[in-house]
Amino acid sequence: MKTFELIAPCHFGMESVLKKEIDDLGYDITEVQDGRVTFFGDAEAICRANIFLRTAERILVKVGSFHAETFEELFQGTKKLPWEEWIPADGKFWVAKAASVKSKLFSPSDIQSIMKKAMVDRLKEVYHINWFNEDGASYPLRVFLLKDEVTVGLDTTGESLHKRGYRKLTAKAPIAENLAAGLIMLTPWHADRILIDPFCGSGTIPIEAAMMAANIAPGMNRSFLAESWKNTIPKSLWYDSVTEAQDLIKHDVDTDIQGFDLDDEMVRISRENAKLAGVEKMIHFQRRDVAQLSHPKKYGFIITNPPYGERISDKNELPALYGTIGKRYAALDSWSMYLITSYEKAEDDIGRKADKNRKIYNGMMKTYFYQFMGPKPPKRQ
């Protein structure tokens, strides 16, 4: 089977987690850059990466790369790429997104229109037609320009991979599913340890943790754009990858995962989302104030996405809120706490300096993942 170079974009700060995921799937990584990991894989790898990767945003097939400092160089570089290997005569194709960093060409709309013209020119010559109806399968293109180097990728995913399909209802500022999964994977939590999210919102962190515990692949219950690429990816490979995911599910796993929220409606939404994800029996959701946070057992984990105070009216409430978080955490003997926030005085108000602090971009927002490490539990006899 032919091998391709595949590009997996991710949240800035999550590259190491995604790299490990791709390693675990068995694929050779060629490059790790800010916000993306590149690796080798065949057509089956496209299916498996879309279905199994928890922290990626999408899977792109690298069509090629070239240097371009002028629009003429961009046109000619694009035209030289073998578009006919992917796009059939009835294919719908367009440049969905163009991003430019430290490059002479920086206008997304100009980059998009010029590349589209170059693709049309090449495919006209290959297919010997002057007009493309574009009524077949979709082939959206994503382009990155970094220091005048153009990297061109076809999007196999469609809707971002963070959309697992279970979150029909959300909170006001929900954390993306792939970011929630990445935060959990940055901790030493595993299925036999207690996990509490005292600000669970629509339940994303507890649900992602439960899916990991049961080994439920994040993409097994959704569709992908490249499923319609019958000219390059046989439908049987998608079926085989879903069957593999189904066979790997652990149906008898025992967990202690809890999600709390002050809002009754959020608790209801969390339960509904957990049911759609197939993990409702693995999580206990409850209306509870963070001031009531407690647990009789030791060596548990708090993993949470508390309010950041993005609205000015909320900022005045943050010192007291984070102070309460600190007091409740201090009362939990031997626990670990991990929280993501853009609130820069979090450590001061919690009353303890984090053991580790990792910068992560939640979209365009700079946030910090504060990691307060508890002791390791004693080894079981």
Side-chain angles (χ1 to χ4, degrees), residues 16-42:
S16 62
V17 183
L18 178 55
K19 178 179 181 293
K20 185 179 185 304
E21 280 200 276
I22 294 168
D23 275 334
D24 290 345
L25 277 183
Y27 301 116
D28 293 328
I29 289 165
T30 59
E31 190 175 25
V32 179
Q33 294 176 287
D34 287 346
R36 67 182 192 262
V37 179
T38 305
F39 61 103
F40 283 126
D42 54 16

Side-chain angles (χ1 to χ4, degrees), residues 335-364:
W335 278 50
S336 300
M337 179 168 71
Y338 300 81
L339 61 87
I340 184 171
T341 181
S342 64
Y343 180 47
E344 295 186 349
K345 293 183 178 179
E347 289 172 301
D348 294 339
D349 294 336
I350 286 169
R352 175 179 162 181
K353 187 170 176 58
D355 298 292
K356 287 185 179 179
N357 179 10
R358 189 185 191 103
K359 189 189 297 180
I360 294 170
Y361 278 84
N362 185 359
M364 297 302 292

